[in-house]
Amino acid sequence: MAYSDAYGQVYNVQTLIDHGARRCGKLAEELTSEQVLSARESLGFVLTNLINIGIQYWAVKKEVIGLNANKYIYSLPIGANDVLNALYRQMNRPTPNAFGGYTTSAGGVIANAFDNNVTTYTQQTSPNGNIGINFGTDNPIYAGSIGILPYVAGGGSATWTLTLEYSTDGSTWSTLDNLGTVIVTDNQWIWTDIDPGQSVQYYRVRASGGTTLALREFYVGNMSQEITMSRLNRDDYTNLPNKNFTANQPYQFWFNRTVPQPEIYLWPVPSDPFIQMTVWYSKQIMDVGDLTDELQIPQRWYLAVVNMLAHQMAMELPAVPVERITYLEQQAEKYLNLAEAEERDKSPIYFSPNISVYTR
C-alpha cells in the first residue's frame, strides 16, 4: 500500500476562498474581483474574531522587555491582545578573568559598553564592526540572554543590521541569533534569549549593512531568576496614592488594552536599568495577505476556518438561499467547536484559593 509520507499540507488564501464559494453554491470562477476582495476581507474578519473565542496556542508569544530606570509604561508589539504571564527577571552578569577582556574592532572607549553605567557609551568610528567579550582562558560562560543598549545621537532611532555570535577560539565565529535589520531607539534595550545557550569563552555583536555600532551596554547574562508579577485592575491602579513610587523590583502591573498597541503600567516604578520583564501574551493571528499567501493557522483549523468563511461569504454573495446560509452557520459552529475542543495543552490544573483576607 502506498502512502504520501508527507505531513503539513498548507493551502493558500485563494484555495480557501474557492472552497467557500462552492459551499455557497457558487462556482469559484463566477466570483467577480469585487467578490474575491470581499471574501478575502471576510477571511480577515474570521481570523481576527478568533481571539474573542479563546487562547489559540499557536498564537502565544514571549517578549523580553528591558526596563529603564524611572520608566513605568511599556508597549507590547502591535497585534498583542492580552498578558497571560508577566515575570520580573534578574540576571547574573559574568565578568572576564585575568586572561580575558573586552574588544572593539573599530574604535571607541570599549570599557563604556561593560561598565554598568547607561549614561556612557562606546562609539565605533567605522561601519560593520563588532564589539565583544573574552571571558578568559579556561573560563567558558553559559549565555542564556544577551542584551544590547544602543546609543543614537539626539535620542532618536536608527536602522541597524545585527548578528549575535559566539566562538570557542576567538577566530572562528558561529551565529547565536541573526537579529536582521532592526529599528533601534536610543537607551532602549534589545534583549534576545538564547535557546539553546552556549558555554564558550567568546561572544560578540557584529554589525553589517553599513551599520556603525554605538552601544551604551553589551550585556551577556545567565542564571536568570524570574518572579511572577501580580496583575492590577484599572480601579486598583488608578487608586494608588503614589504611582511614581520607585523600587528595584516592580511586582505589580496594570494592562491597558489601548490601540494601536496595548501598554503595561508597572508599579512600583523600576529604578534599576539592568532588570527585565518577561511577558507571555496572546496575539492576533497574522493578517490575510495576497491570494497566494498562506494563513498562520495549523492544519487542524482548516475545516473550521473554511466553514466560517463560507458562512460569511453566503451573507454577502447574491442569491444564496436563506436555508443554505442557516446550514452554513450550523457547519461553522460545528467545526469551530471541534477545533476549540482540541485547542488545549492537556497539562494538570491546580487551584490555589487565596484566603489571605481571613488570615492576615
Side-chain angles (χ1 to χ4, degrees):
M1 184 177 292
Y3 298 101
S4 68
D5 197 29
Y7 303 91
Q9 177 68 51
V10 294
Y11 301 95
N12 62 27
V13 173
Q14 182 68 69
T15 300
L16 295 180
I17 291 176
D18 291 349
H19 280 280
R22 287 190 284 270
R23 280 167 167 76
C24 294
K26 308 287 185 180
L27 295 177
E29 55 266 28
E30 292 181 41
L31 299 183
T32 67
S33 58
E34 179 185 353
Q35 289 168 342
V36 171
L37 174 60
S38 175
R40 188 161 64 91
E41 291 173 344
S42 292
L43 181 56
F45 298 152
V46 166
L47 297 180
T48 299
N49 190 57
L50 288 181
I51 200 71
N52 296 323
I53 299 169
I55 298 173
Q56 314 310 328
Y57 281 92
W58 73 90
V60 173
K61 292 265 300 185
K62 180 178 78 168
E63 184 79 6
V64 180
I65 300 174
L67 304 184
N68 296 88
N70 302 318
K71 178 181 177 182
Y72 63 96
I73 302 177
Y74 296 85
S75 296
L76 284 183
I78 292 177
N81 176 67
D82 196 12
V83 171
L84 305 178
N85 305 95
L87 305 104
Y88 157 79
R89 179 198 278 184
Q90 289 179 306
M91 299 195 74
N92 176 54
R93 189 178 192 179
T95 56
N97 63 19
F99 302 99
Y102 310 113
T103 61
T104 171
S105 67
V109 183
I110 185 58
N112 289 348
F114 300 91
D115 62 358
N116 292 311
N117 184 350
V118 298
T119 63
T120 62
Y121 60 90
T122 299
Q123 173 73 66
Q124 293 198 324
T125 56
S126 60
N128 302 334
N130 63 76
I131 290 176
I133 182 171
N134 170 10
F135 283 106
T137 306
D138 298 325
N139 187 33
I141 295 296
Y142 177 87
S145 189
I146 294 179
I148 61 172
L149 187 63
Y151 167 77
V152 180
S157 298
T159 300
W160 291 0
T161 303
L162 304 172
T163 305
L164 299 176
E165 298 177 325
Y166 71 96
S167 175
T168 58
D169 58 11
S171 60
T172 302
W173 293 87
S174 300
T175 298
L176 271 175
D177 197 349
N178 182 6
L179 302 184
T181 300
V182 294
I183 298 176
V184 301
T185 302
D186 181 50
N187 205 28
Q188 298 296 310
W189 284 99
I190 298 177
W191 282 99
T192 303
D193 282 357
I194 308 302
D195 187 17
Q198 302 290 333
S199 292
V200 295
Q201 181 176 336
Y202 302 89
Y203 294 92
R204 73 180 185 183
V205 55
R206 178 175 58 84
S208 58
T211 299
T212 300
L213 281 176
L215 297 185
R216 294 178 182 271
E217 292 290 325
F218 179 54
Y219 192 117
V220 178
N222 61 12
M223 300 176 62
S224 64
Q225 294 183 330
E226 295 186 331
I227 300 173
T228 300
M229 300 171 66
S230 299
R231 185 165 180 165
L232 299 170
N233 61 40
R234 186 186 68 247
D235 288 340
D236 288 340
Y237 181 79
T238 56
N239 289 331
L240 288 172
N242 183 1
K243 297 178 182 61
N244 296 318
F245 173 71
T246 60
N248 282 340
Q249 177 180 332
Y251 56 87
Q252 296 183 93
F253 72 96
W254 169 52
F255 186 56
N256 182 18
R257 301 181 71 175
T258 186
V259 293
Q261 295 170 255
E263 297 173 331
I264 293 178
Y265 286 62
L266 299 182
W267 193 87
V269 178
S271 58
D272 186 346
F274 292 95
I275 59 176
Q276 303 162 298
M277 177 172 56
T278 305
V279 181
W280 294 85
Y281 64 94
S282 61
K283 70 179 186 69
Q284 294 282 357
I285 299 169
M286 288 184 186
D287 294 344
V288 177
D290 296 330
L291 294 176
T292 56
D293 287 343
E294 300 161 6
L295 297 181
Q296 191 199 13
I297 60 174
Q299 280 183 298
R300 64 183 181 271
W301 272 84
Y302 273 122
L303 204 51
V305 169
V306 77
N307 277 286
M308 287 189 287
L309 172 61
H311 176 235
Q312 295 298 315
M313 291 175 63
M315 291 190 292
E316 295 191 3
L317 290 174
V320 178
V322 174
E323 312 84 64
R324 184 180 286 269
I325 295 176
T326 302
Y327 172 74
L328 290 173
E329 182 178 20
Q330 294 169 350
Q331 292 296 297
E333 291 177 354
K334 170 186 173 181
Y335 287 102
L336 174 61
N337 289 336
L338 289 174
E340 275 295 318
E342 171 56 23
E343 201 63 25
R344 64 198 194 281
D345 63 11
K346 301 183 181 179
S347 60
I349 298 176
Y350 300 95
F351 294 94
S352 179
N354 183 354
I355 60 173
S356 59
V357 292
Y358 300 103
T359 57
R360 64 184 179 185

